[in-house]
Amino acid sequence: MVLIMTTLYLDALQNEESSIAVAASLLKDGHVVALPTETVYGLAAVISNDDAIRSIFVAKGRPADNPLIVHVARASDVATVAVVSPLAQQLMDALFPGPLTLVLPKHPNVSDLVTAGLSTVAVRMPDLLLTRKIIHAAGAPLAAPSANRSGSPSPTTAQHVLEDLDGRIAAVVDAGPCREGLESTVVRVFEDHVVLLRPGACTREAIERVAQVRLTDAHDHSNVQHSPGTRYRHYAPNARVVIAFSKADAQREVGNDPSHMLLLAPADLDIGVPWRPLSGASVYAELRRADSLHVDKIIVHCDEQIQANEALLNRLRKAAEPRTDD
Ligand code: AMP
Ligand code: MG
């Protein structure tokens, strides 16, 4: 498959209507297009075109056994790709649109390429209106994983998308930085309970309180199919990431030679290392920025507030996992 192509840059902040029209027409023609959402930028293709779906995996270098999330413009469209139980409907009524992905039994129409052969499909309705307008104009639900090369931090700006995928995809739609900056929460919906597969931008509290459902963790259920994606090393920059739970830990990580180090923390700890602020919305941008500065070691200070942010702590821990690929 030829990967060298000119990637069209569509500025939706300046020209929203034409960006939507061009993106939708490329998608209808079977191309892959990177789109903004409230979570991270996604790499989209219409779910009915198997060749377009294959192009997503090729462009990202994504393993074929890691399924994609299907994005819909309207909650009523979920029934075209999945079997919607009363509990799934309750979650959709309370939390769609938003950064919540439901894993449901799949509709027979959905290609095995999208679901990696699983009997379930992951579905989400993005909160960003622009994303929904593009899905609507494309005329079909869109499969879209994050628009990064597999293994690198998820993109939260159009610039990040181009750093990873320029020349490998048909177009990128720019709507500025993503509001959440962390991926969606993924849950498996059963008859009478819901299992958390991946923490994300929709909090555990919102699911339990707003949707009035009981949420349990995947590791409490030996029979629940985990998200295949959680097996892979993710969200990682080139620099080594170490987590410090206290100032003393952070100081110890600095040692005698603070050169080529960066402190990512809610507030500066004055430990002789350049500091950048840490938040869910900016964490991926900071990890990428550290790489562009050729930082060797990123010390991440997780205070109590950061530790209470389940999704952010999960991504930081993954970024800090030892490399297996080098
Ligand atoms: P990404 O879109 O790159 O953030 O990744 C989507 C996440 O959803 C990955 O961790 C996938 O493994 C997971 N996922 C997608 N479809 C399913 C499914 N049918 N069952 C379980 N997890 C899924
Ligand atoms: Mg991803």
PDB file of all heavy atoms in Angstrom, residues 30 38 106 195 241 256:
ATOM      1  N   GLY A  30     -13.518   7.020   0.822  1.00  0.00           N
ATOM      2  CA  GLY A  30     -12.723   5.921   1.369  1.00  0.00           C
ATOM      3  C   GLY A  30     -11.356   6.325   1.891  1.00  0.00           C
ATOM      4  O   GLY A  30     -10.488   5.478   2.099  1.00  0.00           O
ATOM      5  N   GLU A  38     -13.444  16.096  21.647  1.00  0.00           N
ATOM      6  CA  GLU A  38     -13.173  16.724  22.951  1.00  0.00           C
ATOM      7  C   GLU A  38     -12.106  15.953  23.737  1.00  0.00           C
ATOM      8  O   GLU A  38     -11.527  16.498  24.674  1.00  0.00           O
ATOM      9  CB  GLU A  38     -14.462  16.865  23.765  1.00  0.00           C
ATOM     10  CG  GLU A  38     -14.964  15.584  24.438  1.00  0.00           C
ATOM     11  CD  GLU A  38     -15.776  14.711  23.476  1.00  0.00           C
ATOM     12  OE1 GLU A  38     -15.665  14.889  22.256  1.00  0.00           O
ATOM     13  OE2 GLU A  38     -16.502  13.834  23.986  1.00  0.00           O
ATOM     14  N   LYS A 106     -22.127  -6.618  19.259  1.00  0.00           N
ATOM     15  CA  LYS A 106     -22.077  -5.910  17.976  1.00  0.00           C
ATOM     16  C   LYS A 106     -23.220  -6.317  17.058  1.00  0.00           C
ATOM     17  O   LYS A 106     -23.735  -7.433  17.131  1.00  0.00           O
ATOM     18  CB  LYS A 106     -20.733  -6.121  17.316  1.00  0.00           C
ATOM     19  CG  LYS A 106     -20.617  -7.262  16.339  1.00  0.00           C
ATOM     20  CD  LYS A 106     -19.243  -7.276  15.710  1.00  0.00           C
ATOM     21  CE  LYS A 106     -19.113  -8.409  14.708  1.00  0.00           C
ATOM     22  NZ  LYS A 106     -19.573  -8.052  13.382  1.00  0.00           N
ATOM     23  N   VAL A 195     -18.618  -2.738  33.709  1.00  0.00           N
ATOM     24  CA  VAL A 195     -17.225  -2.994  34.093  1.00  0.00           C
ATOM     25  C   VAL A 195     -16.313  -1.965  33.429  1.00  0.00           C
ATOM     26  O   VAL A 195     -16.397  -1.736  32.221  1.00  0.00           O
ATOM     27  CB  VAL A 195     -16.794  -4.422  33.685  1.00  0.00           C
ATOM     28  CG1 VAL A 195     -15.334  -4.669  34.057  1.00  0.00           C
ATOM     29  CG2 VAL A 195     -17.689  -5.463  34.343  1.00  0.00           C
ATOM     30  N   VAL A 241      10.363   8.170  31.770  1.00  0.00           N
ATOM     31  CA  VAL A 241       9.434   8.837  32.686  1.00  0.00           C
ATOM     32  C   VAL A 241       9.522   8.161  34.050  1.00  0.00           C
ATOM     33  O   VAL A 241       9.424   6.928  34.136  1.00  0.00           O
ATOM     34  CB  VAL A 241       7.982   8.758  32.156  1.00  0.00           C
ATOM     35  CG1 VAL A 241       7.002   9.373  33.158  1.00  0.00           C
ATOM     36  CG2 VAL A 241       7.871   9.430  30.789  1.00  0.00           C
ATOM     37  N   ASN A 256      22.898  13.819  41.274  1.00  0.00           N
ATOM     38  CA  ASN A 256      23.964  14.829  41.219  1.00  0.00           C
ATOM     39  C   ASN A 256      23.980  15.609  39.920  1.00  0.00           C
ATOM     40  O   ASN A 256      24.622  16.647  39.835  1.00  0.00           O
ATOM     41  CB  ASN A 256      25.334  14.162  41.387  1.00  0.00           C
ATOM     42  CG  ASN A 256      25.433  13.464  42.725  1.00  0.00           C
ATOM     43  OD1 ASN A 256      24.883  13.951  43.719  1.00  0.00           O
ATOM     44  ND2 ASN A 256      26.095  12.310  42.740  1.00  0.00           N
TER      45      ASN A 256
END
